Amino acid sequence: MLTAVSSMLTSVPANAVETVSGAPYDYTATMKPERPYMHQYDKLMMQKLFLARPDQKGGSTVGMTFADALDVIKGMYNLSRGVPKIVYLVGWQYEGHDCKYPAFHEFNKALKREEDATARDSYLWLQREAKKYNTTVSVHLLVQDAEPDSPLWREYVDNELICRDIDGNLITRAVFNGQPMYDVNLAAEWDKGMLQKRLDEVVDLANIKEAGTLHCDAFYARMSPYDAANMARQEEAMRKMLRYMRDKGIDVTIEFLHNGQRCDQMIGLSPAAWWIDMSAVERAKLPASLIAGGQEGKFGKLWLKETFLFGDNYQAEDDFNFVDIYRDKDYSKAWERAKLGIATRTVPYLFYNTLKIQEYDEANEKVTYSGGVVSDWKNKTVTWDGVLLRDNNNIFFPLAWKDNKEIMAYSQEGYNEREWRLPTGWSNVKAVDVCNVSQDGMDKPRTVKVKNGAIRLSMEPNSIVSIVPAK
């Protein structure tokens, strides 16, 4: 376990800089990533769990411990019918969220289980246990930020690794967690081999190589005019970082694709964006196998049209944020909020990602997919060869990740005795088993007969059911 930070200037490989390319990648030549990603992000749900924030008194305000996080992972597994997931932990280090950067060398002691010797032991336990629920656990961090209370602060200032304005003053952008935030000069840090060493240490500490993925928030170029470290130089270092991590078998997902703070979106080097801030025109051109998400929008402002037409992912972070948003820590209400997101965002997204986009009709706000699937924003419907899969926030979607036939039905408002025609591939099914789905699992099934290729279904408001061929 890493308990202290030694000098970052020691034991840096002499060839560290020369072995990694910083050149841009032209994804348009193949419409594929430069190298295969370690995970299939177009076939999974990507989430964050907000664990803790510094209380600005030397302690930690905890919303969720590592043990609590496993309970949420179990519930997500049940509610989403076992969809593969990646969960990034926020606030896992020091006293919590965005604390003591550029260092990330110590786990947050307030998150550990009583039966474990260290918080790191509890984290590794969570990683192991989460695998039982088809979930990969990794961490969220920032590489561009620096704070004066960091154990690396003096070293980074002395070695001129903090961005400076044209007059040589250290650049600070805001105050966060009671600390002024400064910008790390990634180009200079890479050139001295210190970024590589910093990444190596967190990979070992948090067992990231086994996870195969890491989330890097606010992955923007921070310019340093004093030493001519412009955006081009900084983005070159960022591309080197992405390739350096991929050499280790680790994908780096990022916060935004655009957001106006990067010239190069680095598509094909990074597999997914937390906020997939792409227009419908862009979504129609860029397959999710190349760049995935993440929810559509920016900083919680959701782009509903793009989500309806192309799908996206339910993030979970805000709904289970018991530090900043829902301080009552009412899990039952959080699970109610989760149902809508899973059913209306992730389920359609993963279904669409099994198809190819044939046409986006911008004027009529309609997407035609292969196989006869049409998503129509104006009418708020999705059909498959004329069979209704979605009517506003009433859904009746096949689950793309299931080997056997299974449909998820959901209704936001509820309805009584509504008829749903079974989709393509269900023509030989004579009866179905219908089970209520919750975070605790599934209720006892009830059998419903199929008549003329359709079933009649009643739904309570904000409820999910699983539908499979009757045994």
Side-chain angles (χ1 to χ4, degrees), residues 164-176:
R164 296 175 182 268
D165 64 22
I166 195 66
D167 297 319
N169 302 307
L170 298 179
I171 296 175
T172 180
R173 288 172 290 105
V175 174
F176 194 69

Side-chain angles (χ1 to χ4, degrees), residues 7 10 30 44 101 140 170 226 273 311 387 436 450 461:
S7 173
T10 60
T30 62
L44 56 78
Y101 292 137
H140 152 290
L170 298 179
Y226 184 76
V387 175
N436 294 326
V450 176

Side-chain angles (χ1 to χ4, degrees), residues 394-415:
N394 299 304
I395 76 159
F396 197 78
F397 265 94
L399 299 185
W401 59 93
K402 291 290 188 177
D403 293 332
N404 300 317
K405 292 184 177 71
E406 183 171 350
I407 290 169
M408 179 182 286
Y410 168 83
S411 177
Q412 186 174 22
E413 301 296 331
Y415 51 75

Side-chain angles (χ1 to χ4, degrees), residues 99-222:
C99 182
K100 291 185 169 55
Y101 292 137
F104 20 73
H105 303 88
E106 183 178 305
F107 277 93
N108 185 343
K109 297 180 179 64
L111 306 180
K112 87 174 194 71
R113 301 187 305 156
E114 290 184 5
E115 56 265 51
D116 293 326
T118 67
R120 182 174 185 262
D121 290 338
S122 296
Y123 166 81
L124 295 175
W125 164 85
L126 175 60
Q127 274 193 322
R128 292 191 302 270
E129 291 298 308
K131 290 179 182 178
K132 299 175 183 177
Y133 304 97
N134 210 11
T135 301
T136 298
V137 170
S138 186
V139 299
H140 152 290
L141 52 79
L142 282 80
V143 293
Q144 271 98 340
D145 284 7
E147 296 156 356
D149 66 344
S150 172
L152 292 177
W153 174 253
R154 190 71 260 160
E155 187 170 4
Y156 269 59
V157 172
D158 292 346
N159 286 282
E160 299 185 2
L161 299 180
I162 306 297
C163 293
R164 296 175 182 268
D165 64 22
I166 195 66
D167 297 319
N169 302 307
L170 298 179
I171 296 175
T172 180
R173 288 172 290 105
V175 174
F176 194 69
N177 289 331
Q179 291 284 322
M181 298 171 65
Y182 294 84
D183 296 335
V184 174
N185 185 338
L186 284 191
E189 190 187 22
W190 178 272
D191 288 345
K192 293 186 178 182
M194 295 169 73
L195 176 57
Q196 300 90 308
K197 191 166 189 291
R198 190 159 60 116
L199 293 168
D200 290 347
E201 289 176 349
V202 77
V203 166
D204 290 341
L205 177 70
N207 197 30
I208 304 301
K209 190 169 184 179
E210 183 171 327
T213 187
L214 172 77
H215 183 70
C216 194
D217 218 23
F219 197 58
Y220 315 136
R222 305 295 195 193

Side-chain angles (χ1 to χ4, degrees), residues 308-328:
F308 192 96
L309 292 173
F310 302 96
D312 64 9
N313 255 314
Y314 168 64
Q315 294 173 319
E317 182 180 24
D318 285 351
D319 286 343
F320 289 82
N321 183 339
F322 300 132
V323 175
D324 301 323
I325 303 176
Y326 299 105
R327 297 183 181 179
D328 58 359

Side-chain angles (χ1 to χ4, degrees), residues 20 91 113 117 196 209 236 310 336 344 349 448:
V20 183
R113 301 187 305 156
Q196 300 90 308
K209 190 169 184 179
E236 180 182 16
F310 302 96
E336 288 301 302
T344 63
Y349 182 56
V448 176

